[in-house]
Amino acid sequence: REEVLQGKELKGATEAERKLELQKGRLVTITSPKSWPAESIKMFRTNLMQIMKTNNFKSILFTSSDKQEGKSTVAINIALSMAHLGKKTVLVGSNMRRPTVYKIFGLTRGPGLSDILMGNITWQEAIRTASDILTGGLDIDDLLNMPGIDNLNIIPCGRPVENISEILNSKAL
């Protein structure tokens, strides 16, 4: 059975490689910027920006009650869309049980949020910039054609830890 996704042949790919390619395909703001899902993200972004401006909010949290409900997909696309508008954006990968943000951008898992919260590094040391993203796993042509990629910074989830709940409930967060 021959599989093709985004013009890439997946025949002979491992299950993990297929899964990653599917995740990357969900980044509609990069892969299909004129599609209806990308337009929906832009409308959502516009509404979020109005709410943030009205209420003087500086951050947005995406969460859900269960896994695989689209938290990472929505958060990443909103972050890319904000960066495209020229907004300085920091995407924080805080899913420490099933992290995907760092994988999608081809980054390493750590150092990141868990390392910051444990006091091992500062947040500035964990920031990944456009140059890190460009050397990561995404299609460079798509990223180079995306205006505003230099406005996007990422803090990955960090190294695995045993006490995730305690760290996420800490005063440091």
Side-chain angles (χ1 to χ4, degrees), residues 6-138:
Q6 298 291 326
K8 297 179 183 178
E9 290 200 22
L10 297 178
K11 188 176 184 178
T14 66
E15 186 63 30
E17 291 168 336
R18 284 189 183 120
K19 196 173 187 179
L20 185 57
E21 285 304 316
L22 286 171
Q23 288 172 334
K24 288 178 185 179
R26 292 183 186 127
L27 302 180
V28 293
T29 51
I30 294 176
T31 59
S32 306
K34 299 207 184 294
S35 67
W36 69 264
E39 290 300 323
S40 296
I41 290 288
K42 291 173 193 170
M43 286 177 27
F44 184 37
R45 174 203 61 203
T46 301
N47 291 335
L48 281 174
M49 287 177 55
Q50 186 59 44
I51 291 168
M52 291 175 74
K53 184 177 180 182
T54 302
N55 296 295
N56 199 29
F57 293 155
K58 300 290 181 198
S59 59
I60 305 167
L61 170 70
F62 293 93
T63 188
S64 73
S65 60
D66 205 358
K67 60 184 176 182
Q68 295 186 323
E69 291 185 333
K71 299 174 291 291
S72 297
T73 301
V74 171
I76 289 169
N77 278 294
I78 289 293
L80 288 166
S81 185
M82 292 278 198
H84 175 78
L85 272 187
K87 304 288 182 193
K88 292 288 182 187
T89 305
V90 178
L91 174 62
V92 180
S94 55
N95 186 340
M96 294 188 199
R97 287 190 177 96
R98 296 179 189 268
T100 58
V101 170
Y102 80 95
K103 291 177 189 176
I104 290 173
F105 286 100
L107 303 171
T108 59
R109 182 174 173 153
L113 182 61
S114 64
D115 304 287
I116 296 167
L117 297 177
M118 292 189 318
N120 297 334
I121 61 169
T122 65
W123 68 267
Q124 293 92 337
E125 293 172 298
I127 287 278
R128 305 297 176 20
T129 63
S131 60
D132 297 311
I133 296 167
L134 288 171
T135 58
L138 284 180

